[in-house]
C-alpha cells in the first residue's frame, strides 16, 4: 500500500475513534492530517527534466552498458529505460537542482532500438507520485562472435545434408539408361511425358549409376586460406576423399594457390588415397583474416574474353578448364581470393560439370581480439558474406561452413 493510503486510513480511523469515545482530540488529529494531505496535493507540482545523449550507442548483445542521464529538478526520482528486448536497472535517487546518474541496460537481441526513459517523481515524504516518459537513446545491438556461431550452426547443419545430396553425388548420373513404367513413389520430375502420351501410361526415364563417375576435390591453398582455415579445409578434403574412394568412386585432387596449381588425376584404392593425403601440404600464413570479398557483374562479352585469357593463366582456371569429361567438382574455398574471377569461371563450366562449393566462413573462423569496433566490422562482413553466398548459390550449391560443421554430419551424408 502507498503511504498516502495509510494516511487516509488514519484520517478515517481518527474520525471514527472520536465518534465512538466522544473525544474531540482524535478528530482534531484526523483533521490535521487531512489538511496536510490536501496541502501536499495542491502544492505538488514537480518540474523534473532529464537530458540524455541522443547519439547512437553501439553495443554487443548480452553485454551490459551504462547510459549516463542528467536529472534536473527537485524530488525523489525512480527511473528506468523501457524498450524492446532490453533489461534495465531501476535507479532511485534524490534530486535537488541537478544530479548525474548512470543506468545499466542489457540488450538481449541484435537490432536497433529506441529506448524511452520512464521516471516516477515523488515528494520527499513519498505521499504524491507523478509518472513521466522522456525520450531516451537509440542503441544498435550487434551480435557477438559466439552468438553468430551459435545462430549459424543449426542453419548450416540443416542445409548441409540437402546441399550434399543435390551437389556432390546422389544415386544417379546424367547418363541416360532407359525407360520403365512409373511406380508410386517415383520422382515426377523423371516422367517422360512424350513417351507417356505415346504409350498411354506413365513412363520414367532411368539413369546410370554414378559409381564410375569422376570426382575432383578442389582445395584452395591461397594465402587467405592459410590464415587459420587451412587445417579445417584439409581435414574436410581428406574426409570427403576417404569416404568417396572407399565407396568406389574415382577421386582426383586439385590444389591451387596464387599463380600455380597441382593436379592428381582421378583414381581409387588405398594407394591412391595415400597419394592424395601426401599431397595436401601447406604452409601457414600469419596475419589477420581478410573478411572482404566482392563480385562484379560479368557480361557475356566479358565471359568470352575471360574464357580465352584463362587458358593462358596458371591456377584454378587452367586446372578446371583441363577437365575434359563431365565430372563432379567439390570446391573447398573461403571465396575471399579473386572472387570475381572464380565466379566467372564457374559461370562457364557449370553446364559441363556438377559443382558444389564448401566455403569456410572467415567470420566464424575469426580468432583475433574482440572489441566494439571489431564486432561492428564482423557484423557488417557477415551481411556482405550472405550476398556472396547467394550469388554463388545461383551457380552451384554453396554451403557456408563454421568450425564445427564437418565431422559426423558430413560423413553421414557421404556414407
Amino acid at each position: 500500500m502507498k503511504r498516502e493510503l495509510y494516511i487516509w486510513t488514519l484520517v478515517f480511523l481518527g474520525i471514527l475513534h472520536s465518534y465512538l469515545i466522544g473525544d474531540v482530540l482524535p478528530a482534531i488529529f484526523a483533521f490535521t492530517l487531512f489538511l496536510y494531505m490536501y496541502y501536499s496535493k495542491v502544492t505538488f507540482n514537480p518540474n523534473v527534466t532529464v537530458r540524455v545523449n541522443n547519439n547512437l550507442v553501439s553495443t554487443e548483445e548480452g553485454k551490459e552498458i551504462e547510459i549516463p542521464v542528467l536529472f534536473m529538478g527537485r524530488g525523489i526520482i525512480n527511473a528506468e529505460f523501457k524498450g524492446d528486448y532490453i533489461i534495465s536497472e531501476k535507479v532511485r535517487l534524490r534530486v535537488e537542482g541537478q544530479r548525474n546518474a548512470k543506468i545499466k541496460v542489457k540488450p538481449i537481441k541484435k537490432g536497433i532500438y529506441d529506448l524511452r526513459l520512464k521516471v516516477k517523481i515523488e515528494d520527499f515524504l513519498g505521499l504524491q507520485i507523478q509518472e513521466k516518459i522522456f525520450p531516451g537513446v537509440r542503441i544498435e545491438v550487434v551480435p557477438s562472435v559466439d552468438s553468430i556461431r551459435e545462430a549459424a550452426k543449426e542453419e548450416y547443419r540443416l542445409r548441409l545434408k540437402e546441399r550434399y545430396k543435390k551437389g556432390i553425388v546422389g544415386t544417379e548420373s546424367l547418363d541416360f539408361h532407359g525407360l520403365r513404367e512409373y511406380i508410386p513413389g517415383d520422382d515426377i520430375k523423371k516422367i517422360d511425358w512424350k513417351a507417356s502420351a505415346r504409350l498411354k501410361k506413365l513412363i520414367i526415364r532411368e539413369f546410370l549409376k554414378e559409381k564410375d563417375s569422376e570426382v575432383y576435390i578442389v582445395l584452395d591453398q591461397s594465402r587467405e586460406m592459410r590464415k587459420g582455415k587451412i587445417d579445417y579445409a584439409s581435414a574436410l578434403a581428406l574426409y570427403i576423399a576417404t569416404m568417396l574412394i572407399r565407396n568406389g568412386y574415382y577421386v582426383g585432387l586439385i590444389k591451387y594457390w596464387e599463380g600455380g596449381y597441382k593436379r592428381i588425376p582421378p583414381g581409387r584404392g588405398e594407394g591412391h588415397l595415400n597419394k592424395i593425403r601426401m599431397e595436401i601440404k601447406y604452409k601457414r600464413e600469419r596475419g589477420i583474416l581478410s573478411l572482404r570479398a566482392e563480385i562484379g557483374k560479368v557480361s557475356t562479352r566479358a565471359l568470352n574474353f575471360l574464357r580465352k585469357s584463362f587458358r593462358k593463366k596458371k591456377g584454378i582456371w587452367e586446372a578446371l578448364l583441363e577437365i575434359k569429361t563431365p565430372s563432379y567438382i567439390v570446391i573447398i574455398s573461403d571465396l575471399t581470393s579473386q572472387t570475381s574471377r572464380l565466379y566467372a569461371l564457374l559461370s562457364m563450366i557449370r553446364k559441363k560439370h556438377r559443382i558444389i562449393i564448401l566455403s569456410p566462413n572467415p567470420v566464424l573462423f575469426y580468432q583475433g581480439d574482440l572489441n566494439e569496433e571489431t564486432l561492428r566490422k564482423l557484423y557488417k562482413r557477415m551481411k556482405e558474406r550472405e550476398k556472396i553466398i547467394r550469388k554463388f548459390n545461383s551457380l552451384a550449391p554453396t554451403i557456408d561452413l563454421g568450425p564445427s560443421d564437418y565431422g559426423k554430419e558430413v560423413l553421414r551424408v557421404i556414407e
Side-chain angles (χ1 to χ4, degrees), residues 141-208:
V141 184
V142 300
S144 64
V145 173
D146 289 338
S147 67
I148 291 175
R149 290 192 180 112
E150 289 301 320
K153 187 183 298 182
E154 187 61 27
E155 179 184 352
Y156 297 152
R157 285 177 177 172
L158 291 175
R159 288 188 293 170
L160 199 59
K161 290 185 178 181
E162 188 64 24
R163 294 303 187 190
Y164 268 105
K165 289 176 182 178
K166 291 182 179 179
I168 300 182
V169 283
T171 59
E172 296 173 337
S173 72
L174 294 176
D175 298 323
F176 179 70
H177 178 59
L179 300 174
R180 66 169 173 82
E181 190 172 352
Y182 173 85
I183 299 175
D186 285 336
D187 188 352
I188 62 172
K189 294 179 181 179
K190 298 176 184 177
I191 295 176
D192 187 326
W193 295 105
K194 290 184 178 179
S196 298
R198 186 173 63 254
L199 299 174
K200 296 183 179 180
K201 58 182 176 180
L202 290 177
I203 300 297
I204 293 291
R205 299 172 67 90
E206 280 192 315
F207 297 87
L208 293 174

Side-chain angles (χ1 to χ4, degrees), residues 287-339:
I288 302 298
L289 291 174
S290 173
L291 303 174
R292 299 210 59 144
E294 295 180 356
I295 300 179
K297 293 183 178 179
V298 183
S299 64
T300 304
R301 182 177 296 179
L303 283 175
N304 293 331
F305 172 77
L306 290 171
R307 185 179 287 107
K308 295 177 182 179
S309 63
F310 281 157
R311 297 184 183 277
K312 301 178 182 179
K313 293 182 177 291
K314 293 182 178 180
I316 185 176
W317 310 283
E318 184 179 12
L320 294 185
L321 291 174
E322 282 185 354
I323 302 175
K324 304 301 182 183
T325 59
S327 305
Y328 296 93
I329 298 176
V330 183
I331 299 175
I332 304 175
S333 171
D334 62 0
L335 305 178
T336 60
S337 299
Q338 304 185 40
T339 311

